[in-house]
Amino acid sequence: MDKFPDVLCGWSWEENKLFELALAVVDEQHPDRWEVVAAMVGGEKTAEDVHKHYVILLEDLQFIESGKLDHKLAETQSCIQLDCTQSVCWTDDDN
């Protein structure tokens, strides 16, 4: 897991796992949700960083659920470099 794909744009595997955990335990209605999530991730991410990461996650989920994700792409290319301003879609093999 040391070499997590560069498409995460500065988010380590550990930070992503902490981010997922924080989203699961911090209530969506909490007035300081993004500050609390940022603190749980470990201090290097700001509230703005985690909120942007969340928005990208939602965009990725919408893309996947839309049926537009080409699963054959993962079979032909082992790594895809993307612009960090764009959302990222993972395959089942990326877990």
Side-chain angles (χ1 to χ4, degrees):
M1 296 287 172
D2 293 341
K3 290 288 194 174
F4 207 51
D6 291 338
V7 293
L8 290 175
C9 307
W11 284 75
S12 70
W13 183 87
E14 291 83 6
E15 289 171 326
N16 270 290
K17 288 299 164 187
L18 291 170
F19 173 73
E20 292 171 8
L21 176 63
L23 289 179
V25 299
V26 178
D27 190 294
E28 290 182 29
Q29 303 305 316
H30 191 291
D32 299 316
R33 183 179 194 205
W34 303 118
E35 288 82 2
V36 173
V37 171
M40 291 179 72
V41 168
E44 290 191 25
K45 304 297 180 191
T46 65
E48 183 179 350
D49 292 336
V50 295
H51 185 251
K52 285 180 182 180
H53 204 60
Y54 179 73
V55 169
I56 290 171
L57 175 65
L58 291 180
E59 290 172 354
D60 290 345
L61 289 172
Q62 288 175 338
F63 184 74
I64 292 166
E65 290 173 353
S66 74
K68 296 178 184 175
L69 179 64
D70 185 359
H71 293 285
K72 293 179 183 177
L73 182 63
E75 295 171 7
T76 60
Q77 298 180 0
S78 60
C79 182
I80 302 169
Q81 298 293 322
L82 299 176
D83 180 349
C84 290
T85 61
Q86 300 295 316
S87 61
V88 178
C89 294
W90 298 102
T91 66
D92 292 337
D93 297 330
D94 291 321
N95 292 330

